[in-house]
Amino acid sequence: QKEVEQDPGPLSVPEGAIVSLNCTYSNSAFQYFMWYRQYSRKGPELLMYTYSSGNKEDGRFTAQVDKSSKYISLFIRDSQPSDSATYLCAMHGAQKLVFGQGTRLTINP
Amino acid sequence: KAGVTQTPRYLIKTRGQQVTLSCSPISGHRSVSWYQQTPGQGLQFLFEYFSETQRNKGNFPGRFSGRQFSNSRSEMNVSTLELGDSALYLCASSQTVSGELFFGEGSRLTVL
């Protein structure tokens, strides 16, 4: 069993929809939770970073962490075609950083 | 401020050959990490260097090695290439060990 599980998709939604991306994890030592966005032929870039359980908002993006369920989510409101990318969750703890497999998202105009 | 630069961007090798990939971190960043990205396995950690010392190593065979120079530039080497080594190799730099990662665009290796 992988330490971090993420559905690779692909996920395709119409423009303007709310997108929900999720990851589950098994290692209780993970304390920091991140979401990276990776455009085609580019390296990943940090999108959001959270430490505690709860919600964190940044514009159209909301990151949610539920440590009791070992479950994290990224919500994208009013999705745009420019949001089309692969989204990777990442978790840090016990001196290691582990990435999810990434979910490929396409926003259709 | 220039980002992380990786060279070469694309390369094709045959089984049994070896390859060296190069990474120039963001100016001032002393930590360099290497990752292998494949569709099936996602992003997997290879190793991390800080001030020319390997700080962490992932679960890859000894054919995968790396080093860091005094100017923080890093190289990774893969010897005796196998078909399964075909992947995107990403380098990331950070100011400190386990700090925020800034990725390069990667070197896409194809092994025939």
Side-chain angles (χ1 to χ4, degrees), chain B residues 17-38:
Chain B
Q17 288 187 309
Q18 73 166 13
V19 66
T20 299
L21 308 177
S22 179
C23 173
S24 293
I26 292 172
S27 177
H29 285 193
R30 295 167 62 190
S31 176
V32 173
S33 300
W34 288 89
Y35 289 84
Q36 181 195 66
Q37 187 175 34
T38 58

Side-chain angles (χ1 to χ4, degrees), chain A residues 21-106:
Chain A
L21 304 167
N22 312 293
C23 288
T24 58
Y25 63 97
S26 57
N27 192 338
S28 298
F30 291 142
Q31 296 295 321
Y32 299 91
F33 306 91
M34 290 145 280
W35 286 95
Y36 282 80
R37 178 175 60 195
Q38 185 176 19
Y39 290 116
S40 180
R41 303 185 190 283
K42 298 288 186 182
E45 57 178 344
L46 183 64
L47 194 59
M48 295 197 71
Y49 177 105
T50 58
Y51 171 70
S52 58
S53 284
N55 293 353
K56 181 178 181 179
E57 263 190 47
D58 184 1
R60 297 183 294 109
F61 298 88
T62 299
Q64 190 174 78
V65 175
D66 182 349
K67 287 187 177 180
S68 62
S69 301
K70 295 190 178 64
Y71 189 89
I72 71 170
S73 300
L74 178 71
F75 298 97
I76 307 175
R77 291 185 300 280
D78 187 24
S79 56
Q80 304 294 311
S82 59
D83 295 327
S84 297
T86 296
Y87 290 80
L88 303 104
C89 62
M91 308 187 186
H92 187 271
Q95 299 184 333
K96 60 180 176 180
L97 176 65
V98 181
F99 284 84
Q101 194 173 341
T103 300
R104 196 198 303 181
L105 172 67
T106 301

Side-chain angles (χ1 to χ4, degrees), chain B residues 3-57:
Chain B
V4 177
T5 304
Q6 292 188 245
T7 57
R9 290 291 314 279
Y10 303 92
L11 64 166
I12 299 174
K13 294 285 187 179
T14 56
R15 278 180 299 175
Q17 288 187 309
Q18 73 166 13
V19 66
T20 299
L21 308 177
S22 179
C23 173
S24 293
I26 292 172
S27 177
H29 285 193
R30 295 167 62 190
S31 176
V32 173
S33 300
W34 288 89
Y35 289 84
Q36 181 195 66
Q37 187 175 34
T38 58
Q41 297 297 317
L43 212 60
Q44 292 189 288
F45 172 71
L46 281 156
F47 23 66
E48 179 179 18
Y49 287 88
F50 183 83
S51 294
E52 303 178 66
T53 301
Q54 187 179 90
R55 294 302 176 116
N56 286 299
K57 190 177 189 304

